[in-house]
Amino acid sequence: MEGRRVAVIHGPNLNMLGKREIGIYGGKTMDQINQEIQTEAAKLKVELSFFQSNSEGGLVDYIHSCAGRIDGIVLNAGAYTHYSVALRDAIGAVKIPTVEVHISNIYKREIFRHTSLIAPVCIGQVCGFGSHSYILGLRALMEEKFDPWLV
């Protein structure tokens, strides 16, 4: 799977990691998490692009821009996971294999976080492993037996 290009996309408020709700999200900053992902990507020989936006439209535009240049997406959509039909439609439109990731276990939190509108257009979901959720999502994309046509 050498030579793959993967976009790591962080949604709203993830730029505040390390400063907000440390008991839920841990003390690592987004930059520290990106560095961890980059270290793993180097081992896998994967080229990464990182993007973060607090804006739903910014996330949709970036996902659209991935078409034809990115082989997979690791996406932590934050709160938009639970509410954004626009994000769901963007993922479905580009048909790029996407793994939904969350730092916390969304199923152990408030009931409104138990629903993911984007899950049906993602190849899978990883949650509850802290920043390691991103690494697991990246590894899932790199599985040789993965069939992108199942998206």
Side-chain angles (χ1 to χ4, degrees):
M1 301 307 267
E2 241 179 86
R4 296 287 185 158
R5 294 164 306 197
V6 172
V8 177
I9 304 174
H10 304 278
N13 299 310
L14 294 171
N15 58 310
M16 298 299 291
L17 288 172
K19 299 175 187 166
R20 66 181 275 260
E21 299 177 278
I22 292 171
I24 295 172
Y25 301 111
K28 293 179 186 172
T29 66
M30 187 178 70
D31 288 339
Q32 289 169 322
I33 292 169
N34 285 346
Q35 186 55 55
E36 289 177 358
I37 304 165
Q38 184 62 59
T39 298
E40 184 67 19
K43 294 176 196 171
L44 298 169
K45 296 183 175 29
V46 175
E47 179 186 331
L48 296 181
S49 300
F50 293 97
F51 181 77
Q52 190 276 328
S53 180
N54 293 315
S55 161
E56 183 179 32
L59 294 167
V60 168
D61 288 342
Y62 186 77
I63 290 168
H64 289 172
S65 79
C66 290
R69 67 177 189 87
I70 294 293
D71 301 305
I73 296 172
V74 175
L75 171 63
N76 184 341
Y80 292 135
T81 299
H82 318 292
Y83 301 108
S84 180
V85 174
L87 208 53
R88 175 195 173 114
D89 290 349
I91 296 164
V94 296
K95 297 192 183 321
I96 298 170
T98 300
V99 176
E100 174 186 346
V101 300
H102 299 282
I103 293 169
S104 68
N105 182 344
I106 61 175
Y107 301 102
K108 291 180 84 174
R109 299 190 58 201
E110 303 92 339
I111 195 96
F112 67 86
R113 295 186 197 274
H114 297 190
T115 300
S116 169
L117 293 185
I118 66 172
V121 292
C122 291
I123 62 168
Q125 180 189 74
V126 180
C127 69
F129 295 99
S131 62
H132 196 64
S133 292
Y134 288 93
I135 304 293
L136 295 171
L138 178 62
R139 287 182 185 162
L141 279 174
M142 295 303 104
E143 282 293 317
E144 302 238 4
K145 60 187 167 200
F146 167 67
D147 182 355
W149 300 109
L150 295 176
V151 175

